């Protein structure tokens, strides 16, 4: 995480890093609401009855896709006014979807894995998220250069890649709505 922050602060510069930090603070405050507590519900339900894994995953997936998607659209249009900063629309939307949808789903996967007492897998997912985001940002930083739109795309892509790998590795047999 420390290397990630160093690359981002050096690559973006003060003004764009301030924009990103303000938006990230807003988004991290909204993450629990986009999931309605389903990661914790998944942990409890799966720990009590592992046979409920598919049902709780399916319900959580629907909730996070709907609320996270709607929340992402609201944030994309309302955040510049709330935060009183100029922010390009596409990077704003990419950050919002990355945190409110993809990160919410990563948390749901982790809730299911915790309920199954597979903490080793949960740790791999979280480490994979950090590594995927770091790799994407480092590729830009050491390649064409880091700017806000590129960083938003790298953040989005790193989070999506981690989610897809986690689902491919651990999501077999889970129900899909």
């Amino acid at each position: 995480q420390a290397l990630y922050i160093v690359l981002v602060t050096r690559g973006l510069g003060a003004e764009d890093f301030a924009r990103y930090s303000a938006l990230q603070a807003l988004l991290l405050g909204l993450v629990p609401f986009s999931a309605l507590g389903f990661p914790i519900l998944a942990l409890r339900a799966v720990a009590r009855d592992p046979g409920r894994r598919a049902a709780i995953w399916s319900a959580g997936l629907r909730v996070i896709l709907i609320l996270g998607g709607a929340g992402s659209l609201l944030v994309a249009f309302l955040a510049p006014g709330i935060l009183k900063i100029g922010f390009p629309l596409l990077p704003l939307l990419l950050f919002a979807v990355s945190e409110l949808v993809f990160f919410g789903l990563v948390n749901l996967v982790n809730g299911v894995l915790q309920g199954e007492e597979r903490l080793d897998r949960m740790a791999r997912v979280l480490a994979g998220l950090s590594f995927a985001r770091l790799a994407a940002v480092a590729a830009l930083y050491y390649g064409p250069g880091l700017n806000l739109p590129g960083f938003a795309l790298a953040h989005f892509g790193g989070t999506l890649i981690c989610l897809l790998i986690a689902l491919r590795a651990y999501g077999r047999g889970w129900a899909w709505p």
Side-chain angles (χ1 to χ4, degrees):
Q1 289 287 22
L3 182 57
Y4 180 79
I5 294 298
V6 167
L7 291 177
V8 170
T9 54
R10 283 186 170 184
L12 290 181
E15 189 175 319
D16 281 343
F17 184 73
R19 282 187 180 117
Y20 165 70
S21 296
L23 178 62
Q24 195 68 1
L26 176 65
L27 290 172
L28 291 178
L30 296 174
V31 166
F33 299 103
S34 70
L36 286 183
F38 261 92
I40 301 300
L41 292 173
L43 183 149
R44 188 180 70 192
V46 173
R48 288 183 180 167
D49 179 10
R52 295 197 55 213
R53 178 182 69 183
I56 197 76
W57 164 254
S58 181
L61 180 64
R62 280 193 299 268
V63 165
I64 292 170
L65 288 176
I66 292 168
L67 292 180
S72 295
L73 290 174
L74 282 173
V75 165
F77 292 106
L78 298 178
I82 293 169
L83 298 174
K84 306 240 186 286
I85 56 173
F87 212 108
L89 182 60
L90 183 59
L92 185 63
L93 188 58
L94 290 174
F95 283 125
V97 170
S98 180
E99 298 301 329
L100 299 180
V101 178
F102 298 159
F103 185 67
L105 292 173
V106 166
N107 283 336
L108 181 60
V109 168
N110 283 336
V112 170
L113 293 175
Q114 281 180 314
E116 293 178 331
E117 297 181 5
R118 297 306 309 252
L119 300 182
D120 58 325
R121 291 181 175 181
M122 186 193 82
R124 284 187 205 128
V125 171
L126 291 175
L129 177 63
S130 294
F131 180 75
R133 286 179 173 176
L134 174 61
V137 166
L140 281 177
Y141 183 83
Y142 291 110
L146 194 60
N147 56 34
L148 192 61
F151 172 50
L153 189 57
H155 188 83
F156 177 89
T159 309
L160 178 60
I161 287 168
C162 173
L163 175 62
L164 293 175
I165 289 171
L167 290 175
R168 177 83 171 114
Y170 307 127
R172 292 186 199 106
W174 295 11
W176 298 90

